[in-house]
Amino acid sequence: MLLTVVHALKPNNHSPQSSYQLTTQTLPNLNMNIRLRNRHMNHEPGTGPVPVPVPGSVPTLRRDDYELKNTNPHLGGERLTSTYDLVEQTYHLYVRVVKAKELPLGADPYVEIRLGNYRGRTNHFEKKTNPEWNQVFAFSKDRVQSSTLEVYVKDKEMFGRDEYIGRVVFDLNEIPTRVPPDSPLAAQWYRVEDRRGHGEIMLAVWMGTQADEAFPEAWHSDASFAHGEGVFNVRSKVYVSPKLWYLRVNVIEAQDVIPNDRTRAPEVSVKVEVGNQMLRTKISSTRTMHPLWNEDFMFVVAEPFEEHLVLTIEDRVHPSRDEVLGVLSLPMTVFEKRLDHRPVHSRWFNIERHGVGEMKFSSRVHIRVCLEGGYHVLDESTLYISDQRPTAKQLWKRPCGILEVGILGAQGLLPMKMKDGRGTTDAYCVAKYGQKWVRTRTILDTLSPRWNEQYTWEVYDPCTVITLGVFDNCHLGAEKPGLERDSRIGKVRIRLSTLEAHRIYTNAYPLLVLHPSGVKKMGELQLAVRFTTLSLANMVYLYGHPLLPKMHYLNPLTVNQVDTLRYQAMNIVAARLGRAEPPLRKEVVEYMLDVDSHMWSMRRSKANFFRIMSLLSGLFSISKWFNNVKEWKNPITTVLVHILFLILLWYPELILPTMCLYMFLIGLWNYRFRARHPPHMDPKLSWAEAVHPDELDEEFDTFPTSRPPDTVRMRYDRIRSIAGRIQTVVGDIATQGERLGSLLSWRDPRATSLFVVFSLCSAVVLYVTPFRVVALVTGLYMLRHPRFRSKMPSVPSNFFKRLPAKSDSLL
């Protein structure tokens, strides 16, 4: 039966009309196909220089370009600190411009800082003699091309050249060095003079590392090309996802619902809205003024609560028109927060509406509403979940570990846009684990950015995944802000349970992205990761603990509810993070949360199917080996199997201990071959290297489709063909189960009579015969020599295939 699905997914390279052919093969042919596939996937194309990528082209890469690589960065530098020991220590020249005083009257002052070819300037103030800036500038020590630092106080001229009021010069060799936890360097007053007078400026100048508290908010010299709002979009930031709640609404009934047309029985339903989420009850089966529904709805809301719960009672007066009979709007603060599955009291709420003339009617609606704090609101796939804690903080357990990630940099990035006639990339990295999102600063105009930023997360469950993505910043002072979208460069996932405790992993992860033209390596992301456990006993306890909070098992959500609520939660998280400053944009959040993971993909379907086949390949190998034993292909092996069978038969108490000891020895043997690195994106496992172009075009198609009708028709016919084969497999499974059930159903009186008589005789024989004798006879019969076998099917098989099934009753 499984072979049928394999053949349905087999590509057909000879037919231009359809990408798939439907064939029937045997198991040896299936094994041959799998071997040929593996040989094709392990083939290494010819090496050579990688061309500059253009739209629609895929660079030719060797197989090892997709592999994880070891790196040996110099972590921590000369002076190890507890908070920045997973990154390479980088030094920066910091200049804090605090304020000025006693400047000439009528000046529009601003400060310009010059260090070699780099220039940074503050905002200017109009007609102000005592301006305050309180701004920090950071210059990378590796790019310093001068021995002096010049600080100019200038007067901005509306037309013409700006005049400087005065300047302060610093010798770089005399600048002090500061590394936290040293206290901040105190700013000092420096005198500036010119022909129009004099003044003073307060400055603080020091040499520090990226561990300095001024680093995140500083203006960096490597971001000097940014202007306007783009200055704020290049800074590193830490974001926190909003606290999400499930809102459960139970619409029970209503009273005194009077329709506008009293000559007809009302067809009343209730529309429930929370923000952009809307659900509707069925039309009440009781066509009276007291309708009854008793339907449950689930919504996602976020703190602070901004939306109201709006209930609209509507009367279906026409298949295409509803009349509003009443509206009820309630704030979230009036609802109870429930932490477990205890019942919540229902309440009546009045709905006011005006009738005909001066009469005024008051309707009531009976609802039960609560905020569910015992669930974990899923905003990401359960396969890559990074947080499993319930919403209510009272139910949180203590953390079991600490995750530290050093985002060192990237190398070999492909150009994402054109600037001054050449390709360039303005890259930044985003990491998401639990409710905490981090964003590194943007390094401009380089294909090998170095961030060297370190972040820490508390870990509440080791069976979670941290996701890191690299993006190209397209909001650096764009002429049309809001229209540009940050381009995705690649993504990396690391499962914490695959990491050894207290070990530092320094690797370069390939950044692979699937494009309509095929899989493409966009570069490599260099990380240093360390997972520290706090309590071994707590860690062992967690492995026997449920994955999600108990409310997911006591009162589980349906599959459709989980998918719908996850989509709503992702929209809320993207909207709230997009309101931060600088914003974490919607396209970034959606890519990190795998918003399109539920969409149909022939490539993913084949990948998942061959994952199943890989698991079943062990059973196929055992079956093939046992058939060889039965066929006496190797007489020595068959004799040894007979001896082992007789030993286990004579001493059955050794069966379970032998199996456990065998698994123990296998585990010890496989310890030598354990994985040394965390897993990474595998294009071979993802079936991305040998994917058909039409499948990729289908995967990147919009929903609903935007392709020509002929293409859609061809794809529809292909899906129908594959679905037909799967339908046949499902029908075969149902047929076998129904045949098994018909043994005692008397559907076939003769077959059931024979089986009942056989069961009685077997009971008598098994009662008077020792179990060892029965097992011995059965085993020797199955292992008999081929000369005592027949090529015809066995009697039990013939009998089973003759049993009836319900397939005869299908239309």
Side-chain angles (χ1 to χ4, degrees), residues 422-446:
R422 59 183 178 84
T424 184
T425 298
D426 305 320
Y428 67 93
C429 181
V430 175
K432 194 266 180 188
Y433 183 78
Q435 296 181 350
K436 180 179 177 181
W437 300 66
V438 300
R439 168 179 172 165
T440 67
R441 72 189 192 279
T442 301
I443 307 298
L444 303 186
D445 197 21
T446 177

Side-chain angles (χ1 to χ4, degrees), residues 507-647:
N507 302 105
Y509 295 80
L511 296 172
L512 305 179
V513 173
L514 193 65
H515 290 275
S517 56
V519 65
K520 182 183 296 184
K521 181 179 178 181
M522 308 296 291
E524 295 178 350
L525 178 62
Q526 297 178 347
L527 301 174
V529 182
R530 176 171 58 202
F531 176 47
T532 304
T533 58
L534 302 179
S535 172
L536 180 60
N538 190 23
M539 191 71 65
V540 173
Y541 164 77
L542 286 174
Y543 271 87
H545 198 68
L547 188 66
L548 295 171
K550 64 179 182 179
M551 281 297 293
H552 287 268
Y553 308 98
L554 298 178
N555 194 4
L557 305 174
T558 64
V559 176
N560 290 336
Q561 280 182 321
V562 171
D563 292 340
T564 303
L565 294 174
R566 176 176 172 248
Y567 180 74
Q568 299 297 340
M570 287 190 296
N571 286 336
I572 293 176
V573 171
R576 292 292 180 92
L577 294 181
R579 290 158 52 180
E581 185 61 40
L584 197 59
R585 304 192 180 275
K586 182 178 181 180
E587 61 269 19
V588 175
V589 177
E590 290 181 347
Y591 182 59
M592 298 290 289
L593 296 180
D594 290 296
V595 68
D596 57 350
S597 61
H598 64 288
M599 299 299 292
W600 161 255
S601 168
M602 178 66 75
R603 175 189 59 83
R604 279 197 293 260
S605 300
K606 291 196 296 183
N608 291 331
F609 178 78
F610 278 99
R611 287 170 59 196
I612 297 177
M613 294 303 300
S614 177
L615 294 176
L616 297 179
S617 62
L619 298 178
F620 293 154
S621 300
I622 294 176
S623 175
K624 182 179 179 181
W625 173 83
F626 188 69
N627 288 331
N628 292 337
V629 170
K630 291 194 304 180
E631 298 292 337
W632 289 71
K633 295 293 182 64
N634 189 340
I636 298 178
T637 302
T638 305
V639 171
L640 292 177
V641 171
H642 279 78
I643 296 174
L644 178 62
F645 171 70
L646 294 176
I647 293 175

Side-chain angles (χ1 to χ4, degrees), residues 186-200:
Q188 301 181 31
W189 288 103
Y190 294 88
R191 188 177 183 86
V192 294
E193 295 184 359
D194 77 332
R195 63 180 182 276
R196 295 186 297 172
H198 60 82
E200 292 183 272

Side-chain angles (χ1 to χ4, degrees), residues 388-406:
Q388 302 162 354
R389 293 170 292 171
T391 298
K393 199 169 184 178
Q394 301 92 310
L395 303 178
W396 291 5
K397 306 295 184 181
R398 292 185 302 174
C400 65
I402 300 295
L403 173 65
E404 299 166 279
V405 177

Side-chain angles (χ1 to χ4, degrees), residues 276-295:
N276 295 326
Q277 309 169 63
M278 189 273 287
L279 296 173
R280 187 188 298 270
T281 66
K282 298 178 181 178
I283 295 178
S284 175
S285 58
T286 59
R287 304 294 179 87
T288 65
M289 292 189 300
H290 309 293
L292 177 67
W293 299 282
N294 196 23
E295 295 186 29

Side-chain angles (χ1 to χ4, degrees), residues 419-493:
K419 181 180 180 180
D420 299 332
R422 59 183 178 84
T424 184
T425 298
D426 305 320
Y428 67 93
C429 181
V430 175
K432 194 266 180 188
Y433 183 78
Q435 296 181 350
K436 180 179 177 181
W437 300 66
V438 300
R439 168 179 172 165
T440 67
R441 72 189 192 279
T442 301
I443 307 298
L444 303 186
D445 197 21
T446 177
L447 303 181
S448 299
R450 305 300 298 176
W451 294 294
N452 283 305
E453 299 182 24
Q454 182 172 336
Y455 299 95
T456 304
W457 288 268
E458 290 183 335
V459 177
Y460 292 85
D461 195 302
C463 301
T464 47
V465 177
I466 180 174
T467 304
L468 302 100
V470 181
F471 302 88
D472 176 49
N473 197 332
C474 297
H475 296 84
L476 304 175
E479 296 181 0
K480 298 181 180 180
L483 300 180
E484 297 289 339
R485 292 172 58 90
D486 289 352
S487 305
R488 59 184 69 171
I489 298 178
K491 182 166 54 179
V492 173
R493 299 191 194 99

